[in-house]
Coordinates of all heavy atoms in Angstrom, one line a residue:
S16 N 122.3 138.1 153.4 CA 123.5 138.8 153.5 C 124.7 137.8 153.4 O 125.7 138.1 152.8 CB 123.5 139.7 154.7 OG 124.7 140.3 154.9
N17 N 124.5 136.8 154.2 CA 125.6 135.8 154.2 C 125.9 135.2 152.8 O 126.9 135.0 152.4 CB 125.4 134.7 155.2 CG 126.6 133.8 155.4 OD1 127.7 134.3 155.2 ND2 126.4 132.6 155.9
H18 N 124.7 134.9 152.1 CA 124.9 134.4 150.8 C 125.6 135.3 149.8 O 126.4 134.9 149.0 CB 123.5 133.9 150.3 CG 123.5 133.4 148.8 ND1 124.5 132.7 148.3 CD2 122.5 133.6 147.8 CE1 124.2 132.4 147.0 NE2 123.0 132.9 146.7
Q19 N 125.2 136.6 149.9 CA 125.8 137.6 149.1 C 127.2 137.7 149.4 O 128.1 137.9 148.5 CB 125.1 138.9 149.4 CG 125.7 140.1 148.4 CD 125.0 141.5 148.7 OE1 124.2 141.6 149.6 NE2 125.5 142.4 148.0
T20 N 127.7 137.6 150.7 CA 129.1 137.6 151.0 C 129.8 136.5 150.4 O 130.9 136.7 149.9 CB 129.2 137.6 152.6 OG1 128.5 138.7 153.1 CG2 130.7 137.7 153.0
K21 N 129.2 135.3 150.4 CA 129.9 134.2 149.8 C 130.0 134.3 148.3 O 131.1 134.0 147.8 CB 129.1 132.9 150.2 CG 129.2 132.4 151.6 CD 128.6 131.1 151.8 CE 128.7 130.6 153.2 NZ 128.0 129.3 153.5
S22 N 129.0 134.7 147.7 CA 129.1 134.9 146.2 C 130.1 136.0 145.8 O 130.8 135.9 144.9 CB 127.7 135.1 145.6 OG 127.2 136.5 146.0
T23 N 130.2 137.1 146.7 CA 131.1 138.1 146.4 C 132.6 137.6 146.6 O 133.5 137.9 145.8 CB 130.9 139.3 147.3 OG1 129.5 139.8 147.1 CG2 131.8 140.5 146.9
Q24 N 132.8 136.8 147.7 CA 134.0 136.2 148.0 C 134.4 135.3 146.8 O 135.6 135.2 146.4 CB 134.0 135.5 149.3 CG 135.3 134.9 149.7 CD 136.4 135.9 149.8 OE1 136.3 137.0 150.3 NE2 137.6 135.5 149.5
Q25 N 133.5 134.5 146.2 CA 133.7 133.6 145.2 C 134.2 134.4 143.9 O 135.1 134.0 143.2 CB 132.5 132.8 144.8 CG 132.2 131.7 145.9 CD 130.9 131.1 145.6 OE1 130.0 131.5 145.0 NE2 130.8 129.8 146.2
K26 N 133.6 135.6 143.7 CA 134.0 136.4 142.6 C 135.5 136.9 142.9 O 136.3 136.9 141.9 CB 133.1 137.6 142.5 CG 131.7 137.5 141.9 CD 131.1 138.8 141.8 CE 129.6 138.6 141.3 NZ 128.9 139.9 141.2
V27 N 135.8 137.3 144.1 CA 137.2 137.7 144.3 C 138.1 136.6 144.0 O 139.2 136.8 143.4 CB 137.3 138.1 145.8 CG1 138.8 138.4 146.1 CG2 136.5 139.4 146.0
E28 N 137.8 135.4 144.4 CA 138.7 134.2 144.2 C 138.7 134.0 142.7 O 139.9 133.6 142.2 CB 138.1 133.0 145.0 CG 138.3 133.2 146.5 CD 137.6 132.1 147.2 OE1 136.9 131.2 146.7 OE2 137.5 132.2 148.5
F29 N 137.7 134.1 142.0 CA 137.7 133.8 140.5 C 138.6 134.8 139.9 O 139.4 134.4 139.1 CB 136.3 133.9 139.9 CG 136.2 133.8 138.5 CD1 136.4 132.6 137.9 CD2 136.0 135.0 137.7 CE1 136.3 132.6 136.4 CE2 135.9 135.0 136.4 CZ 136.0 133.8 135.7
Y30 N 138.4 136.1 140.2 CA 139.3 137.1 139.6 C 140.7 137.0 139.9 O 141.6 137.2 139.1 CB 138.8 138.5 139.9 CG 137.4 138.9 139.5 CD1 136.6 139.7 140.2 CD2 137.0 138.5 138.2 CE1 135.3 140.0 139.8 CE2 135.7 138.9 137.7 CZ 134.9 139.6 138.5 OH 133.6 140.0 138.1
E31 N 141.0 136.6 141.1 CA 142.4 136.4 141.5 C 143.0 135.2 140.7 O 144.2 135.2 140.3 CB 142.5 136.1 143.0 CG 142.3 137.4 143.9 CD 142.2 137.1 145.3 OE1 142.0 136.0 145.7 OE2 142.4 138.1 146.1
S32 N 142.2 134.2 140.6 CA 142.6 133.0 139.8 C 142.9 133.3 138.4 O 144.0 132.9 137.8 CB 141.5 131.9 139.9 OG 141.8 130.8 139.1
K33 N 142.1 134.1 137.8 CA 142.3 134.5 136.4 C 143.5 135.4 136.3 O 144.3 135.3 135.4 CB 141.0 135.3 135.8 CG 139.8 134.4 135.7 CD 140.0 133.4 134.7 CE 139.6 133.9 133.3 NZ 139.6 132.9 132.3
A34 N 143.7 136.3 137.2 CA 144.9 137.1 137.2 C 146.2 136.3 137.3 O 147.1 136.5 136.6 CB 144.9 138.2 138.4
R35 N 146.1 135.4 138.2 CA 147.3 134.4 138.3 C 147.5 133.7 137.0 O 148.7 133.5 136.6 CB 147.1 133.4 139.4 CG 147.4 134.1 140.8 CD 147.4 133.0 141.9 NE 146.3 132.0 141.9 CZ 145.1 132.4 142.6 NH1 145.1 133.5 143.3 NH2 144.2 131.5 142.6
H36 N 146.5 133.2 136.4 CA 146.5 132.5 135.2 C 147.2 133.3 134.0 O 148.1 132.9 133.4 CB 145.1 132.1 134.7 CG 145.0 131.5 133.3 ND1 145.4 130.1 133.0 CD2 144.6 132.0 132.1 CE1 145.3 129.9 131.8 NE2 144.8 131.0 131.2
Y37 N 146.7 134.5 133.9 CA 147.3 135.4 132.9 C 148.7 135.8 133.2 O 149.5 136.0 132.4 CB 146.4 136.6 132.6 CG 145.2 136.3 131.7 CD1 143.9 136.2 132.2 CD2 145.5 136.0 130.4 CE1 142.9 135.9 131.3 CE2 144.4 135.8 129.5 CZ 143.1 135.6 130.0 OH 142.1 135.3 129.2
Q38 N 149.0 135.9 134.5 CA 150.4 136.3 134.8 C 151.3 135.1 134.5 O 152.4 135.3 134.0 CB 150.5 136.6 136.4 CG 151.9 137.1 136.8 CD 152.2 138.4 136.0 OE1 151.5 139.3 136.0 NE2 153.5 138.3 135.5
K39 N 150.9 133.8 134.8 CA 151.6 132.7 134.3 C 151.9 132.6 132.8 O 153.0 132.4 132.3 CB 151.0 131.4 134.8 CG 151.1 131.2 136.3 CD 150.4 129.9 136.7 CE 150.4 129.7 138.2 NZ 149.7 128.5 138.6
L40 N 150.8 133.0 132.0 CA 150.9 133.0 130.6 C 151.9 134.1 130.2 O 152.7 133.8 129.3 CB 149.6 133.2 129.9 CG 148.6 132.1 130.0 CD1 147.2 132.5 129.4 CD2 149.1 130.9 129.2
S41 N 151.9 135.2 130.9 CA 152.8 136.2 130.5 C 154.2 135.8 130.9 O 155.1 136.0 129.9 CB 152.5 137.5 131.5 OG 153.5 138.4 131.3
D42 N 154.5 135.2 132.0 CA 155.8 134.7 132.3 C 156.3 133.7 131.2 O 157.4 133.7 130.8 CB 155.8 134.1 133.7 CG 155.6 135.1 134.8 OD1 155.7 136.3 134.5 OD2 155.3 134.6 135.9
L43 N 155.4 132.7 130.9 CA 155.8 131.7 129.9 C 156.1 132.3 128.6 O 157.0 131.9 127.8 CB 154.6 130.7 129.8 CG 154.5 129.8 130.9 CD1 153.2 128.9 130.7 CD2 155.7 128.8 131.1
Q44 N 155.3 133.3 128.2 CA 155.5 134.0 126.9 C 156.8 134.7 126.9 O 157.6 134.7 125.9 CB 154.4 135.0 126.6 CG 154.4 135.6 125.3 CD 154.1 134.6 124.2 OE1 153.3 133.7 124.3 NE2 154.7 134.8 123.0
R45 N 157.2 135.3 128.0 CA 158.4 136.1 128.2 C 159.6 135.2 128.0 O 160.6 135.5 127.4 CB 158.4 136.8 129.5 CG 159.6 137.7 129.6 CD 159.5 138.8 130.8 NE 158.6 138.3 131.8 CZ 159.0 137.5 132.9 NH1 160.2 137.0 132.9 NH2 158.1 137.3 133.9
L46 N 159.4 133.9 128.4 CA 160.5 133.0 128.4 C 160.6 132.2 127.1 O 161.5 131.4 126.9 CB 160.4 132.0 129.6 CG 160.5 132.6 131.0 CD1 160.1 131.6 132.1 CD2 161.9 133.2 131.2
S47 N 159.5 132.3 126.3 CA 159.5 131.5 125.0 C 160.4 132.0 124.0 O 160.8 133.2 124.1 CB 158.0 131.3 124.6 OG 157.6 132.7 124.0
P48 N 160.7 131.3 122.9 CA 161.5 131.8 121.8 C 160.8 133.0 121.2 O 159.6 133.1 121.3 CB 161.6 130.6 120.9 CG 161.3 129.4 121.7 CD 160.3 129.9 122.8
P49 N 161.6 133.9 120.6 CA 161.0 135.1 119.9 C 160.1 134.7 118.7 O 160.0 133.5 118.4 CB 162.2 135.9 119.5 CG 163.3 134.8 119.3 CD 163.1 133.8 120.4
F50 N 159.6 135.7 118.1 CA 158.7 135.6 116.9 C 159.2 134.6 115.9 O 160.4 134.6 115.5 CB 158.5 136.9 116.3 CG 157.6 136.9 115.1 CD1 156.3 137.0 115.2 CD2 158.2 136.9 113.9 CE1 155.4 137.0 114.1 CE2 157.3 136.8 112.7 CZ 156.0 136.9 112.8
T51 N 158.3 133.7 115.4 CA 158.8 132.8 114.3 C 158.0 133.2 113.1 O 156.8 133.5 113.2 CB 158.5 131.3 114.7 OG1 157.1 131.1 114.9 CG2 159.3 130.9 115.9
S52 N 158.6 133.1 112.0 CA 157.9 133.5 110.7 C 157.4 132.2 110.0 O 157.0 132.4 108.8 CB 158.9 134.3 109.9 OG 160.0 133.5 109.5
S53 N 157.4 131.1 110.6 CA 156.9 129.9 110.0 C 155.4 130.0 109.6 O 154.7 130.7 110.3 CB 157.2 128.7 110.8 OG 156.5 128.7 112.0
T54 N 155.0 129.3 108.6 CA 153.6 129.3 108.4 C 153.0 128.0 108.3 O 153.7 126.9 108.1 CB 153.3 130.0 107.0 OG1 154.0 129.2 106.0 CG2 153.8 131.4 106.9
H55 N 151.7 127.7 108.6 CA 151.0 126.5 108.5 C 150.0 126.6 107.5 O 149.0 127.4 107.6 CB 150.5 126.2 109.9 CG 149.7 124.9 109.9 ND1 150.3 123.7 109.8 CD2 148.4 124.7 109.9 CE1 149.4 122.7 109.8 NE2 148.2 123.3 110.0
K56 N 150.2 125.9 106.4 CA 149.2 126.0 105.3 C 149.0 127.5 104.8 O 147.9 127.9 104.6 CB 147.8 125.4 105.7 CG 147.9 123.9 106.0 CD 146.6 123.4 106.3 CE 146.7 121.9 106.7 NZ 145.4 121.3 107.0
G57 N 150.1 128.2 104.7 CA 150.0 129.5 104.2 C 149.6 130.6 105.2 O 149.4 131.8 104.9
I58 N 149.3 130.2 106.5 CA 148.8 131.1 107.5 C 150.0 131.6 108.3 O 150.7 130.7 108.9 CB 147.7 130.6 108.3 CG1 146.5 130.1 107.4 CG2 147.2 131.5 109.4 CD1 145.5 129.3 108.2
P59 N 150.3 132.8 108.4 CA 151.5 133.2 109.2 C 151.3 132.8 110.7 O 150.1 132.8 111.2 CB 151.5 134.8 109.2 CG 150.6 135.1 108.0 CD 149.7 133.9 107.8
S60 N 152.4 132.5 111.3 CA 152.3 132.1 112.8 C 151.9 133.3 113.6 O 152.3 134.4 113.3 CB 153.7 131.6 113.2 OG 153.7 131.4 114.5
L61 N 151.2 133.0 114.7 CA 150.8 134.1 115.6 C 151.7 134.2 116.9 O 151.2 134.6 117.9 CB 149.3 133.9 116.0 CG 148.3 133.9 114.9 CD1 146.9 133.5 115.4 CD2 148.3 135.3 114.2
R62 N 152.9 133.8 116.7 CA 153.8 133.8 117.9 C 154.5 135.0 118.0 O 155.8 135.0 118.3 CB 154.7 132.5 117.8 CG 153.9 131.2 118.0 CD 154.7 130.1 118.2 NE 155.4 130.3 119.5 CZ 156.5 129.8 119.9 NH1 157.1 129.0 119.1 NH2 157.0 130.0 121.1
N63 N 153.9 136.1 117.9 CA 154.6 137.4 118.1 C 154.7 137.6 119.6 O 153.8 137.9 120.2 CB 153.8 138.5 117.5 CG 154.5 139.9 117.6 OD1 155.3 140.1 118.5 ND2 154.2 140.8 116.7
Q64 N 155.9 137.4 120.1 CA 156.1 137.4 121.6 C 155.7 138.7 122.2 O 154.9 138.7 123.3 CB 157.5 137.1 121.9 CG 157.9 137.0 123.4 CD 159.3 136.6 123.6 OE1 160.0 136.3 122.7 NE2 159.7 136.5 124.9
G65 N 156.1 139.8 121.7 CA 155.8 141.1 122.3 C 154.3 141.4 122.4 O 153.8 141.9 123.4
H66 N 153.6 141.0 121.4 CA 152.1 141.3 121.3 C 151.4 140.5 122.3 O 150.6 141.0 123.0 CB 151.7 141.1 119.8 CG 150.2 141.2 119.7 ND1 149.6 142.5 119.8 CD2 149.2 140.3 119.4 CE1 148.3 142.3 119.7 NE2 148.0 141.1 119.4
M67 N 151.7 139.2 122.3 CA 150.9 138.3 123.3 C 151.3 138.6 124.8 O 150.5 138.6 125.6 CB 151.3 136.8 123.0 CG 150.7 136.4 121.6 SD 148.9 136.7 121.4 CE 148.3 135.6 122.7
L68 N 152.6 139.0 124.9 CA 153.1 139.4 126.3 C 152.3 140.5 126.8 O 151.7 140.5 127.9 CB 154.5 139.6 126.3 CG 155.2 140.0 127.6 CD1 155.1 138.9 128.6 CD2 156.7 140.4 127.4
T69 N 152.1 141.5 125.9 CA 151.3 142.7 126.3 C 149.9 142.3 126.6 O 149.3 142.8 127.6 CB 151.4 143.7 125.2 OG1 152.8 144.1 124.9 CG2 150.6 145.0 125.5
I70 N 149.2 141.5 125.8 CA 147.9 141.1 126.0 C 147.7 140.4 127.4 O 146.8 140.7 128.2 CB 147.4 140.2 124.9 CG1 147.2 141.1 123.6 CG2 146.1 139.5 125.3 CD1 147.0 140.2 122.4
Y71 N 148.6 139.4 127.6 CA 148.6 138.7 128.9 C 148.7 139.6 130.1 O 148.1 139.4 131.2 CB 149.6 137.5 128.9 CG 149.3 136.5 127.9 CD1 150.4 135.8 127.3 CD2 148.1 136.1 127.6 CE1 150.2 134.8 126.3 CE2 147.9 135.1 126.7 CZ 148.9 134.5 126.1 OH 148.6 133.4 125.1
Q72 N 149.7 140.5 130.0 CA 149.9 141.4 131.1 C 148.7 142.3 131.4 O 148.3 142.6 132.5 CB 151.2 142.2 130.9 CG 152.5 141.5 131.0 CD 153.7 142.3 130.5 OE1 153.6 143.3 129.8 NE2 154.8 141.9 131.0
R73 N 148.1 142.8 130.3 CA 147.0 143.7 130.4 C 145.8 142.9 131.0 O 145.1 143.5 131.9 CB 146.6 144.2 129.0 CG 145.4 145.2 129.0 CD 145.1 145.7 127.7 NE 145.0 144.7 126.7 CZ 145.5 144.9 125.5 NH1 146.2 146.0 125.1 NH2 145.4 144.0 124.6
E74 N 145.6 141.6 130.6 CA 144.5 140.9 131.2 C 144.8 140.5 132.7 O 143.8 140.6 133.5 CB 144.3 139.5 130.4 CG 143.7 139.8 129.1 CD 142.3 140.3 129.2 OE1 141.4 139.7 129.8 OE2 142.1 141.4 128.6
A75 N 146.0 140.3 133.0 CA 146.3 139.9 134.4 C 146.0 141.3 135.3 O 145.3 141.1 136.3 CB 147.8 139.6 134.6
K76 N 146.4 142.4 134.8 CA 146.1 143.6 135.5 C 144.6 143.9 135.7 O 144.1 144.4 136.7 CB 146.8 144.9 134.9 CG 148.3 144.8 135.1 CD 148.9 146.1 134.3 CE 150.5 146.0 134.5 NZ 151.1 147.1 133.7
R77 N 143.9 143.6 134.6 CA 142.4 143.9 134.6 C 141.8 143.0 135.6 O 140.9 143.5 136.4 CB 141.9 143.6 133.2 CG 140.4 143.7 133.0 CD 139.9 143.6 131.6 NE 139.9 142.3 131.2 CZ 138.7 141.5 131.2 NH1 137.7 142.1 131.7 NH2 138.7 140.3 130.7
Y78 N 142.2 141.7 135.7 CA 141.5 140.8 136.7 C 142.0 141.2 138.1 O 141.2 141.0 139.0 CB 141.9 139.4 136.4 CG 140.9 138.8 135.3 CD1 141.4 138.5 134.1 CD2 139.6 138.6 135.5 CE1 140.5 138.1 133.0 CE2 138.7 138.2 134.6 CZ 139.2 137.8 133.3 OH 138.4 137.4 132.3
E79 N 143.2 141.7 138.3 CA 143.6 142.1 139.6 C 142.8 143.3 140.0 O 142.4 143.4 141.2 CB 145.1 142.6 139.5 CG 146.0 141.4 139.5 CD 147.5 141.8 139.2 OE1 147.8 143.0 139.2 OE2 148.4 140.9 139.0
K80 N 142.5 144.3 139.1 CA 141.7 145.4 139.4 C 140.3 145.0 139.8 O 139.7 145.5 140.7 CB 141.7 146.4 138.3 CG 143.0 147.2 138.1 CD 142.9 148.1 137.0 CE 144.2 148.8 136.8 NZ 144.2 149.9 135.7
L81 N 139.7 144.1 139.0 CA 138.4 143.6 139.3 C 138.3 142.9 140.7 O 137.3 143.0 141.5 CB 137.9 142.5 138.3 CG 137.5 143.1 136.9 CD1 137.3 142.0 135.9 CD2 136.2 143.9 137.1
A82 N 139.4 142.1 141.0 CA 139.5 141.5 142.4 C 139.6 142.5 143.5 O 138.8 142.5 144.5 CB 140.7 140.5 142.4
D83 N 140.3 143.5 143.2 CA 140.4 144.6 144.3 C 139.2 145.4 144.4 O 138.8 145.6 145.6 CB 141.6 145.6 143.8 CG 143.0 145.1 143.9 OD1 143.1 144.0 144.6 OD2 143.9 145.6 143.3
K84 N 138.5 145.7 143.3 CA 137.2 146.4 143.4 C 136.1 145.5 144.1 O 135.4 146.0 144.9 CB 136.7 146.8 142.0 CG 135.5 147.5 141.9 CD 135.0 147.8 140.5 CE 133.7 148.5 140.4 NZ 133.3 148.6 139.1
T85 N 136.0 144.3 143.8 CA 135.1 143.4 144.3 C 135.4 143.2 145.8 O 134.5 143.2 146.7 CB 135.1 142.0 143.7 OG1 134.9 142.3 142.3 CG2 133.9 141.1 144.1
R86 N 136.7 143.1 146.2 CA 137.1 143.0 147.6 C 136.7 144.2 148.4 O 136.2 144.1 149.5 CB 138.6 142.8 147.7 CG 139.1 142.3 149.0 CD 140.6 142.0 149.0 NE 140.9 141.0 148.2 CZ 141.7 141.2 147.0 NH1 142.0 142.4 146.6 NH2 142.0 140.2 146.3
E87 N 136.8 145.4 147.8 CA 136.4 146.6 148.4 C 134.9 146.6 148.7 O 134.4 147.0 149.7 CB 136.8 147.8 147.6 CG 138.3 148.3 147.6 CD 138.6 149.4 146.7 OE1 137.6 150.2 146.3 OE2 139.8 149.5 146.3
E88 N 134.1 146.2 147.7 CA 132.7 146.0 147.8 C 132.3 145.1 149.0 O 131.4 145.4 149.8 CB 132.0 145.6 146.6 CG 132.1 146.6 145.4 CD 131.6 146.0 144.1 OE1 131.1 144.9 144.0 OE2 131.8 146.8 143.1
L89 N 133.1 144.0 149.0 CA 132.8 143.0 150.1 C 133.1 143.7 151.5 O 132.3 143.5 152.4 CB 133.8 141.9 149.9 CG 133.6 140.7 150.9 CD1 132.3 140.0 150.9 CD2 134.7 139.6 150.6
N90 N 134.2 144.4 151.6 CA 134.5 145.1 152.9 C 133.5 146.1 153.2 O 133.1 146.2 154.4 CB 135.9 145.7 152.8 CG 137.0 144.7 152.7 OD1 136.8 143.6 153.3 ND2 138.2 145.1 152.2
Q91 N 133.0 146.9 152.2 CA 132.0 147.9 152.5 C 130.7 147.2 152.9 O 130.0 147.6 154.0 CB 131.8 148.8 151.2 CG 132.8 149.7 150.9 CD 132.7 150.4 149.6 OE1 131.7 150.1 148.9 NE2 133.5 151.3 149.3
D92 N 130.3 146.1 152.3 CA 129.2 145.4 152.7 C 129.3 144.9 154.2 O 128.4 144.9 155.0 CB 128.9 144.2 151.8 CG 128.4 144.7 150.5 OD1 128.1 145.8 150.3 OD2 128.4 143.8 149.6
S93 N 130.5 144.4 154.5 CA 130.8 143.9 155.9 C 130.6 145.0 156.9 O 130.1 144.8 158.0 CB 132.2 143.3 156.0 OG 132.3 142.2 155.1
N94 N 131.1 146.2 156.5 CA 131.1 147.3 157.5 C 129.7 147.8 157.7 O 129.2 148.1 158.8 CB 131.9 148.5 156.9 CG 133.4 148.2 157.0 OD1 133.9 147.3 157.6 ND2 134.2 148.9 156.2
L95 N 128.9 147.7 156.6 CA 127.4 148.1 156.7 C 126.7 147.2 157.6 O 125.8 147.6 158.4 CB 126.8 148.2 155.3 CG 127.2 149.4 154.5 CD1 126.6 149.3 153.1 CD2 126.8 150.7 155.1
S96 N 126.9 145.9 157.4 CA 126.2 144.9 158.2 C 126.6 145.0 159.7 O 125.7 144.8 160.6 CB 126.5 143.5 157.7 OG 127.8 143.1 157.9
V97 N 127.9 145.4 160.0 CA 128.2 145.5 161.4 C 127.6 146.8 162.0 O 127.1 146.8 163.1 CB 129.8 145.7 161.5 CG1 130.2 146.2 162.9 CG2 130.5 144.4 161.2
E98 N 127.4 147.9 161.2 CA 126.8 149.1 161.6 C 125.3 148.8 161.9 O 124.8 149.3 162.8 CB 127.0 150.2 160.6 CG 128.4 150.7 160.5 CD 128.5 151.8 159.4 OE1 127.5 152.3 158.9 OE2 129.7 152.2 159.1
K99 N 124.7 148.0 161.1 CA 123.3 147.7 161.2 C 123.0 146.9 162.5 O 122.0 147.1 163.2 CB 122.7 147.0 160.0 CG 122.6 147.8 158.8 CD 122.1 147.0 157.6 CE 122.0 147.8 156.4 NZ 121.5 147.0 155.2
K100 N 124.0 146.1 162.8 CA 123.8 145.3 164.0 C 123.9 146.1 165.3 O 123.3 145.8 166.3 CB 124.9 144.1 164.1 CG 124.6 143.1 163.2 CD 125.7 142.1 163.2 CE 125.6 140.9 162.1 NZ 126.6 139.9 162.2
N101 N 124.6 147.1 165.2 CA 124.8 148.1 166.4 C 123.7 148.9 166.5 O 122.9 149.4 167.0 CB 126.1 148.9 166.3 CG 127.3 148.0 166.4 OD1 127.3 147.0 167.0 ND2 128.4 148.5 165.8

């Protein structure tokens, strides 16, 4: 049970870390210059600010939800183990 709690806590920390990472990318993207039309060897640049900003924000929210869900599972597991002890 203790091992499962640690691994679940590690998942929560991992998801929170990923959420922070994508939030930072979103913040940086928001502050970066707008779309550039320059090309490299005939390939259009992928610096479409709005598109990438949306992707980063969506990923940040997704990882926040995963962290919340995993945290709830951890709390439920903790509550069950307390009940079993009583």
